[in-house]
Amino acid sequence: MDLVVVRTFNDFFRANILLTRLRSAGVECYLKDEYTVTVDPFLSNAIGGIKLVVRKENYDEVMKILSEFDDDYRRSAVCPKCGSHQIELVPKRNTANMVAAILSWIFSDYAVSAENVYQCQMCKYESEYLPEPLRNVLPLPEPHILN
């Protein structure tokens, strides 16, 4: 059985959302290195993050499902200021984040931002939370056991 990594993540929330989405579509999949990255996020860069793994024969079907999910995600998130659908999770620009990023860059090879915000790419509106329509669309991750 050949396995293929279809996506990598730095946090378990996004990884579990897509894992749940694929499992609900009947695709056999699992997350590799989820617990390692969750317990020690600084190892994420060294081991390549959390990997979403599927069977090689399911690759085309999985990529189609992931593409549809990404499109749904972009259409559902709406900026409350300008109405744009281009909302991304980005590092918050403040002194504490800059110091954390510089120190982590100096003492490791991967700069880490301590705090992120959702930012509209059109008007630069920032919020700590996803716009309301998106929070109602995303399914909650199901607990699972990895062997």
Side-chain angles (χ1 to χ4, degrees):
M1 171 175 59
D2 291 332
L3 299 175
V4 177
V5 175
V6 292
R7 255 197 209 160
T8 59
F9 307 88
N10 288 325
D11 65 85
F12 70 95
F13 290 112
R14 291 181 184 175
N16 275 284
I17 288 171
L18 289 182
L19 178 78
T20 303
R21 183 76 170 231
L22 291 175
R23 285 186 174 170
S24 69
V27 176
E28 184 181 342
C29 56
Y30 74 97
L31 297 175
K32 184 177 178 191
D33 297 326
E34 174 188 19
Y35 298 123
T36 304
V37 172
T38 302
V39 170
D40 191 352
F42 287 106
L43 291 177
S44 180
N45 194 40
I47 63 173
I50 300 169
K51 297 155 202 73
L52 179 59
V53 179
V54 300
R55 290 179 183 223
K56 190 174 184 176
E57 59 266 16
N58 295 339
Y59 180 79
D60 292 333
E61 176 189 0
V62 167
M63 295 311 290
K64 182 181 176 194
I65 292 169
L66 293 178
S67 176
E68 290 171 1
F69 181 77
D70 291 343
D71 292 344
D72 290 345
Y73 178 89
R74 286 185 199 93
R75 282 192 297 270
S76 64
V78 178
C79 175
K81 187 174 177 184
C82 72
S84 169
H85 292 283
Q86 297 180 11
I87 297 177
E88 301 288 333
L89 187 62
V90 298
K92 187 173 186 179
R93 292 188 161 243
N94 62 20
T95 305
N97 259 9
M98 296 299 275
V99 170
I102 291 169
L103 289 175
S104 66
W105 179 73
I106 290 171
F107 293 109
S108 69
D109 64 352
Y110 181 70
V112 176
S113 172
E115 197 175 351
N116 293 317
V117 294
Y118 293 95
Q119 182 185 67
C120 174
Q121 300 302 299
M122 298 301 288
C123 70
K124 303 302 181 198
Y125 171 81
E126 291 184 353
S127 173
E128 291 182 20
Y129 304 100
L130 287 171
E132 198 62 39
L134 182 58
R135 288 195 297 183
N136 293 332
V137 170
L138 295 176
L140 294 175
E142 293 178 4
H144 63 283
I145 298 173
L146 293 175
N147 293 330

